[in-house]
């Protein structure tokens, strides 16, 4: 039987074009805000307010590096040895961080996402995560990015469209900043009561410790200084609206807020100390997560989606000036 490519395939094969590393670029705007969502990984490449690059992203002609703006499904952060037990099976995932023998940041950040709908200020992306070696489950995923007077709102939805229960976790990886000169002079407010100790592979040891008396206590706003973090937090302190707000403020009063609703019980904070050149401590990764690192093994925050079950959660970013 002769296979006939569809019209889109023919266009790509016949057109004399060079594709961008992150595929189609979906720009949205509202007032003084602009954002760009990319086809590859469905990630957030750019978010600017009044021309200030709140999200430290990357250029249209570059790959996403160091996880910038990427979507982390069906697990965020690291999974030791890439192996886990589920449903009576021992499953093995690819080691995306081979030097530490870890699987890292899920399975969708280099996949193509489909544009489902868009307006001037919103874009909705979709992806089906098909069964594969190490993750024999089927998820239908959606992302919705929306700009409004309140800033940027991101909603992630997942549905188990397979025939068996599926382990699930989600996160996102924005780097934010309140000034262009680096993060050391910023004042950080991080309302979290506990942090997860890790070993030399950045895998949780099982000890969940109080932040009191440690360098990780930012429950009251204070200067970040040279504090280094690649640290997961839980015990998130929320407002009356059940929303947690993490704030980074510069000396002039400009304040970046990353907020997350109750779907996200964990938070990863990364001060980018290991990054090369001028990327080091230029911005801070503030990463909402539904579960802890290594959750497929330790179970902390892990969701198990039954066939037909849907879950969703929202997080976002806003900028105010003093």
């Amino acid at each position: 039987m002769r296979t006939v490519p569809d019209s889109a395939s023919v266009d790509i094969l016949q057109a004399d074009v060079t594709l961008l590393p992150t595929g189609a670029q979906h720009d949205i705007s509202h007032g003084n805000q602009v954002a760009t969502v990319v086809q590859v990984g469905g990630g957030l490449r750019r978010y600017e307010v009044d021309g200030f690059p709140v999200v430290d992203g990357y250029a249209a002609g570059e790959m996403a590096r160091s996880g910038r703006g990427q979507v982390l499904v069906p697990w965020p952060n690291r999974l030791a040895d890439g192996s886990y037990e589920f449903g009576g099976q021992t499953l093995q995932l690819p080691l995306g961080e081979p030097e530490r023998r870890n699987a890292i940041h899920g399975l969708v950040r280099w996949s193509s996402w489909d544009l489902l709908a868009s307006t001037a200020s919103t874009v909705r992306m979709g992806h089906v995560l098909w069964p594969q070696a190490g993750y024999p489950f089927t998820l239908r995923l959606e992302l919705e990015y929306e700009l409004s007077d309140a800033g940027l709102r991101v909603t992630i939805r997942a549905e188990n469209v397979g025939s068996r229960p599926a382990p699930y976790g989600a996160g996102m990886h924005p780097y934010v900043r309140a000034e262009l000169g680096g993060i050391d002079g910023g004042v950080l407010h991080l309302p979290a009561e506990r942090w997860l100790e890790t070993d030399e592979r950045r895998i949780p040891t099982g000890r969940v410790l109080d932040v009191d008396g440690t360098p990780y206590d930012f429950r009251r706003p204070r200067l970040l200084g040279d504090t280094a973090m690649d640290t997961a937090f839980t015990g998130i302190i929320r407002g009356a609206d059940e929303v947690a707000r993490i704030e980074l403020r510069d000396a002039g009063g400009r304040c970046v807020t990353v907020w997350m609703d109750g779907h996200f019980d964990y938070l990863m904070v990364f001060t980018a100390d290991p990054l090369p050149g001028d990327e080091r401590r230029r911005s801070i990764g503030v990463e909402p997560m539904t579960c802890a690192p290594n959750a497929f093994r330790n179970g902390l925050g892990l969701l198990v989606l039954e066939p037909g079950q849907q879950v969703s959660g929202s997080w976002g970013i806003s900028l105010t000036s003093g």
Side-chain angles (χ1 to χ4, degrees):
M1 178 181 294
R2 180 171 176 239
T3 301
V4 179
D6 61 28
S7 59
S9 299
V10 171
D11 289 344
I12 291 173
L13 291 171
Q14 293 181 347
D16 185 16
V17 296
T18 299
L19 299 179
L20 294 173
T22 51
Q25 309 288 299
H26 304 292
D27 296 326
I28 55 176
S29 63
H30 177 83
N32 62 350
Q33 305 171 75
V34 295
T36 301
V37 177
V38 297
Q39 177 184 8
V40 176
L44 178 66
R45 184 176 68 77
R46 176 178 65 137
Y47 175 53
E48 297 180 1
V49 180
D50 270 334
F52 179 77
V54 180
V55 164
D56 184 7
Y58 52 96
E62 298 178 324
M63 288 178 60
R65 60 190 181 280
S66 307
R68 293 183 184 276
Q70 291 188 313
V71 182
L72 318 178
V73 172
W75 78 89
N77 208 264
R78 295 173 174 88
L79 174 60
D81 301 315
S83 66
Y84 64 105
E85 305 282 337
F86 189 83
Q89 289 183 281
T90 299
L91 298 166
Q92 179 65 55
L93 289 155
L95 300 184
E97 192 180 46
E99 67 277 13
R100 290 187 174 131
R101 307 189 315 282
N102 297 323
I104 188 166
H105 289 338
L107 298 169
V108 303
R109 59 187 183 137
W110 304 112
S111 299
S112 180
W113 287 61
D114 298 320
L115 176 64
L116 301 180
S118 65
T119 68
S121 59
T122 65
V123 63
R124 188 160 60 94
M125 308 290 287
H127 178 70
V128 175
L129 178 58
W130 295 103
Q132 56 193 274
Y135 194 79
F137 315 101
T138 312
L139 301 179
R140 178 181 289 125
L141 306 171
E142 286 191 10
L143 289 164
E144 184 171 13
Y145 295 84
E146 178 185 10
L147 293 177
S148 70
D149 290 347
L152 172 67
R153 180 185 186 93
V154 184
T155 300
I156 183 166
R157 304 180 182 94
E159 179 183 3
N160 181 354
V161 291
S163 60
R164 56 189 295 195
Y168 173 78
M172 271 192 86
H173 204 307
Y175 289 76
V176 298
R177 54 189 168 191
E179 57 186 321
L180 297 179
I183 60 175
D184 291 11
V187 172
L188 179 65
H189 180 210
L190 171 57
E193 296 181 326
R194 297 185 294 279
W195 65 285
L196 279 65
E197 180 186 71
T198 58
D199 61 19
E200 69 281 357
R201 295 169 60 191
R202 312 307 299 164
I203 297 296
T205 64
R207 287 173 24 110
V208 181
L209 306 172
D210 291 341
V211 299
D212 190 37
T214 75
Y216 309 133
D217 188 355
F218 289 90
R219 290 173 295 179
R220 292 187 177 183
R222 65 180 179 87
L223 186 70
L224 181 61
D226 61 359
T227 302
M229 287 182 278
D230 188 0
T231 306
F233 293 86
T234 190
I236 308 298
I237 302 167
R238 302 179 183 273
D241 57 1
E242 295 302 315
V243 171
R245 294 174 175 85
I246 301 90
E247 298 177 340
L248 181 66
R249 189 180 301 268
D250 77 349
R254 180 190 284 135
C255 181
V256 175
T257 300
V258 178
W259 62 267
M260 59 188 195
D261 70 13
H263 187 56
F264 300 97
D265 282 334
Y266 292 81
L267 180 74
M268 195 77 187
V269 178
F270 177 50
T271 50
D273 293 75
L275 297 191
D278 67 354
E279 293 185 53
R280 182 182 181 276
R281 298 186 68 87
R282 187 174 72 189
S283 54
I284 184 168
V286 180
E287 308 163 33
M289 303 189 302
T290 63
C291 60
N294 211 33
F296 278 17
R297 294 178 68 128
N298 61 34
L300 295 176
L302 182 67
L303 298 176
V304 176
L305 303 185
E306 298 296 328
Q309 184 178 354
Q310 303 178 41
V311 292
S312 67
S314 296
W315 67 278
I317 309 173
S318 63
L319 178 72
T320 56
S321 299

